[in-house]
Structure formats: structure tokens, C-alpha cells
Amino acid sequence: MSAGEPQQNPFQSPLSVGGPAAGEGYAGGPDSPGALPLGRTIEMLRATRPWVSVIAFCMAFFTVLLALFSLALVVAPQFAPTDGDAPALVLAAAYLVLTLLYVFPTVFLFRYAGRIKAFVGSGSIHDLDDALQAQKSFWKFIGICVLLYIGLMAVGLLMALVFGALAAL
């Protein structure tokens, strides 16, 4: 071996040997121990981002519609599908709560799409971590909402059974 030639490490990970293939980035840089090629990950997230954005825009649109509908019920309760002003205000409050519930997952999806864009541009493992963190926040919120919904439905069913049994007496 000549003095100017770099020595090969026989214990080096095969994934970090050589440079990235065309279009591939490396997590942590190509010379870091255990560097992983991210080309497929980048491509999969690049293909996912437009769909995340479509869903986020649709959710934002429906959030605005819910907000406008709840405002319309407050301003013009005569158009509510209920009798009188008080039920219209209750319905408006319910729609306002739904509006607030829609805001959070919408923001999480927009944040996820933005962080995918940052990751695709940089190929940085830090940006990938940020994107996955935003995705986790979305699914955590949705999971909590689903569990709350199931719990409320169980309580409603139990109340219906109890009141039905009491009415039968």
C-alpha cells in the first residue's frame, strides 16, 4: 500500500462505503458511522407530500365553512334547523367546538407537509425527524379524539339503556 492511498476499514458498514447513488442523500453525512442512504425515503415522502397538502387544504376549507355556519347561526338563528333562538345558539356552540377540533389536525398536517418539503430539500436526518414528529402529533391528536368519541358513545349507549329501562317501569 502506498503512502498516499487511504486505508480501508474492514469493519466499516457497507452502507457507508462509497458515495450516494444519484438522487440519494445520507443521514448524518456519507462518512459518519452507520450512515443510511435516504433516496427511497426522500422519494416516498416527496410523493406523499401532495396528498398531505390536499387533505390539509380540504380540512382548512371545511373548518372555515364550519366557522361561517356557526357564525350564521348566531347572527340569523331563524335559519337554524331547530325551533327558537336558544337551540340555534346551542347548535352554533356545538359547531364552534367542532371548528376548534378541526383546527388542530389541520395545523398538524400543514406542518407535516412543510417539514416534508424541508427534508426533501436537505436530506437531513434532523428534518426527517421533524417531519415524523409533526406526523406523530397529527396521529396522536386523531387517536385521542377517536378514543374520546368511543367513550362518549359508550356513555350515551349506557344512558339510553338506563333511561329506556326506567321508562319501561
Side-chain angles (χ1 to χ4, degrees), residues 23-88:
E24 280 192 0
Y26 274 103
D31 297 327
S32 65
L36 301 173
L38 296 175
R40 180 162 160 71
T41 304
I42 291 171
E43 190 52 42
M44 294 303 291
L45 286 173
R46 180 180 296 143
T48 301
R49 184 175 168 264
W51 294 108
V52 172
S53 296
V54 164
I55 298 300
F57 278 111
C58 288
M59 287 182 71
F61 176 74
F62 287 115
T63 301
V64 169
L65 282 182
L66 276 172
L68 291 175
F69 187 67
S70 63
L71 179 65
L73 288 176
V74 171
V75 173
Q78 67 270 19
F79 295 115
T82 60
D83 295 329
D85 290 349

Side-chain angles (χ1 to χ4, degrees), residues 117-154:
K117 183 178 182 180
F119 170 64
V120 167
S122 71
S124 162
I125 195 74
H126 177 69
D127 288 337
L128 174 61
D129 188 49
D130 287 346
L132 293 176
Q133 175 68 33
Q135 184 189 48
K136 180 203 68 94
S137 296
F138 171 78
W139 286 114
K140 181 178 179 181
F141 183 84
I142 295 299
I144 290 169
C145 285
V146 166
L147 291 175
L148 285 173
Y149 178 76
I150 290 170
L152 288 173
M153 296 310 284

